[in-house]
């Protein structure tokens, strides 16, 4: 099965000193992007060594393991889980052999036409050991490398065929680091420098976590090659318009990251202010569902003048609750994750702010707990417009059937979650708040920015249903 929504990191250093440790720290800064598994691949001047494992970065790596990963140029990856822990052989980076020479790559995104490419490569005699799009990407680059004997060319040729979202880091045994990004720029990819280093990362906060200076984005459709500390840039493919994943701003990225030139904190703050303008409420306090509701709640509070109350307490040691095998487990995990300060809640008219409603599990449970603690009214405000369509481009939403907004009106949802009022951000308000209209809104509108996708095959492969 395909896994998406991950984090990637890469460093090209002039000195063989603590590089794997920096990648390790970079991955910890990206841990929120994936908690299922993690890996580091590093070139030691002779060969690429790799360590991968299931679990958190801290669980996979320790001083001893890192001390064995010597070298100047390396990449790392954190992987997102769908249902529980996946298979070890699907954890990235992925290593590919090229007539005795190796390269390793790590991907954030989803190659939407990977199935067709896989079939074609199988016909050409390639053998696959997993069913992942990452392996297809590696084999496709290998195929073109054998033809062109040049990585930039091989990546550029591959980009002519690839459809979907892909932000990729790659290291080879020539001692080169590559970073490249799909022409729509769906998933983020930034770069920066440190003393003797060039750094590439999914988010700017990861570059800053190792004291790097953030220089900007790898542009959509661009290939970065770092060799002997020189950056060569090539715009391999361009599209008329970009399609940045709006969910990076709503939920996924850290608020202290700048994604496509926009500080995520500002986007969330503006979304909160906009909600206060669109859906004012007569209330005593504004409470965020932590952590992704926090900054929007601050914006709502400042705009409306209603004081903020941090009376929902998140246990930071509990993993993600988004997807669990059963609905029962999902409901239980809300209680495991959130504690309530009852005195603050009792007798209050509350504005409750969350980033998104997917199945509706979290918000239903939170509203009912607030009521059981004596909340007088609960007015729900959501920074993401109704999510109605599945994502094939890097976010692991459930099937359309499970998306509560795909088959209920807003008032029906309000009744289902027992809220006194419910206000969803509008698409227009979303665009204004983030500050660009070059966004992928496919999960809201059903208009997918990627052309030429064979939906039938995707439905088969992803096992989802489209209207
Ligand atoms: P629901 O409970 O409605 O199915 O999902 C919405 C909740 O899940 C919100 O609280 C939101 O913060 C969170 N959420 C939204 N997208 C994701 C995601 O991709 N991963 C995780 N872990 N949580 C998510
Ligand atoms: Mg949440």
């Amino acid at each position: 099965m395909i896994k998406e929504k991950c984090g990637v990191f890469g460093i090209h250093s002039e000195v063989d000193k603590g590089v794997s440790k920096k990648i390790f720290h970079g991955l910890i800064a990206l841990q929120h992007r994936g908690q299922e598994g993690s890996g580091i691949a590093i070139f030691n001047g002779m060969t690429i060594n790799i360590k991968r494992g299931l679990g958190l970065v801290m669980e996979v790596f320790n001083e001893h393991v890192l001390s064995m990963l010597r070298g100047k140029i390396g990449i790392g990856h954190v992987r997102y889980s769908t249902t529980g822990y996946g298979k070890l052989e699907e954890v990235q980076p992925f290593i590919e052999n090229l007539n005795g020479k190796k390269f390793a790559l790590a991907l954030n995104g989803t190659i939407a036409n990977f199935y067709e490419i896989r079939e074609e490569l199988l016909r050409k005699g390639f053998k696959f050991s997993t069913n992942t799009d990452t392996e297809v990407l590696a084999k496709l680059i290998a195929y073109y490398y054998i033809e062109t004997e040049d990585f930039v060319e091989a990546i550029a040729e591959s980009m002519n065929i690839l459809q979907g979202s892909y932000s990729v880091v790659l290291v080879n045994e020539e001692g080169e680091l590559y970073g490249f990004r799909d022409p729509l720029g769906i998933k983020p990819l930034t770069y920066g420098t440190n003393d003797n280093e060039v750094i590439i990362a999914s988010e700017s906060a990861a570059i800053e976590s190792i004291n790097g200076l953030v220089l900007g984005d790898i542009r959509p459709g661009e290939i970065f090659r770092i060799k002997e500390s020189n950056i060569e840039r090539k715009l391999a493919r361009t599209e008329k318009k970009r399609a940045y994943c709006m969910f990076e701003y709503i939920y996924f990225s850290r608020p202290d990251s700048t994604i496509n030139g926009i500080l995520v904190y500002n986007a969330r703050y503006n979304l909160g202010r906009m909600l206060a303008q669109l859906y004012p409420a007569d209330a005593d306090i504004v409470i965020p569902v932590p952590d992704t509701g926090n900054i929007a709640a601050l914006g709502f509070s400042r705009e409306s003048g209603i004081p903020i109350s941090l009376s929902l307490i998140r246990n930071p040691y509990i993993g993600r609750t988004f997807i669990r095998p059963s609905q029962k487990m999902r409901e239980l995990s809300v209680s495991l994750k959130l504690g309530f300060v009852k005195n603050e809640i009792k007798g209050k008219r509350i504005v409750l702010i969350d980033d998104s409603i997917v199945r509706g599990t979290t918000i239903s449970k939170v509203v009912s707990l607030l009521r059981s603690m004596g909340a007088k009214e609960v007015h729900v405000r959501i920074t993401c417009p109704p999510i109605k369509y599945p994502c094939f481009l890097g976010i692991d939403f459930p099937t359309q059937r499970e998306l509560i907004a795909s088959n209920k009106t807003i008032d029906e949802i309000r009744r289902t979650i027992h809220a006194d009022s419910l206000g969803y951000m509008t698409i227009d308000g979303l665009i204004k708040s983030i500050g660009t209209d070059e966004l992928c809104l496919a999960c809201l509108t059903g208009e997918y920015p990627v052309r030429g996708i064979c939906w039938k095959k995707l439905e088969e492969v992803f096992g989802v249903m489209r209207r």
Side-chain angles (χ1 to χ4, degrees), residues 357-373:
I357 296 179
V358 181
R359 294 184 177 87
T361 315
T362 310
I363 204 73
S364 299
K365 184 83 189 167
V366 172
V367 173
S368 88
L369 285 168
L370 288 174
R371 289 208 188 276
S372 74
M373 287 162 203

Side-chain angles (χ1 to χ4, degrees), residues 18 28 40 77 84 126 128 159 168 180 192 199 210 217 227 247 251 266 321 328 344 358 381 392 402 430:
I28 288 178
I40 293 177
H77 188 262
F126 281 78
F128 288 85
M159 283 166 88
V168 183
F180 59 96
I199 309 160
I210 56 164
D217 288 317
K227 194 182 173 86
F247 216 59
Y251 172 83
N266 287 349
T321 62
K328 206 101 229 84
E344 277 277 290
V358 181
R381 302 291 181 265
F392 300 112
E402 290 175 89
L430 178 82

Side-chain angles (χ1 to χ4, degrees), residues 251 289-290 292 337 354-355 362:
Y251 172 83
V289 180
T292 39
K337 193 163 157 183
D354 203 359
D355 62 279
T362 310

Side-chain angles (χ1 to χ4, degrees), residues 208-227:
E208 286 171 339
S209 79
I210 56 164
N211 294 323
L213 174 70
V214 176
L215 294 176
D217 288 317
I218 292 185
R219 286 175 291 175
E222 192 170 41
I223 303 170
F224 258 54
R225 175 166 92 150
I226 300 118
K227 194 182 173 86

Side-chain angles (χ1 to χ4, degrees), residues 6-46:
C6 309
V8 297
F9 194 86
I11 300 189
H12 186 294
S13 175
E14 280 169 19
V15 285
D16 176 0
K17 205 165 158 242
V19 173
S20 61
K21 192 140 195 193
K22 287 188 181 170
I23 300 173
F24 166 77
H25 283 129
L27 292 179
I28 288 178
L30 296 174
Q31 185 78 79
H32 60 288
R33 298 185 70 88
Q35 292 148 29
E36 174 186 81
S38 147
I40 293 177
I42 190 159
F43 175 59
N44 69 3
M46 296 279 292

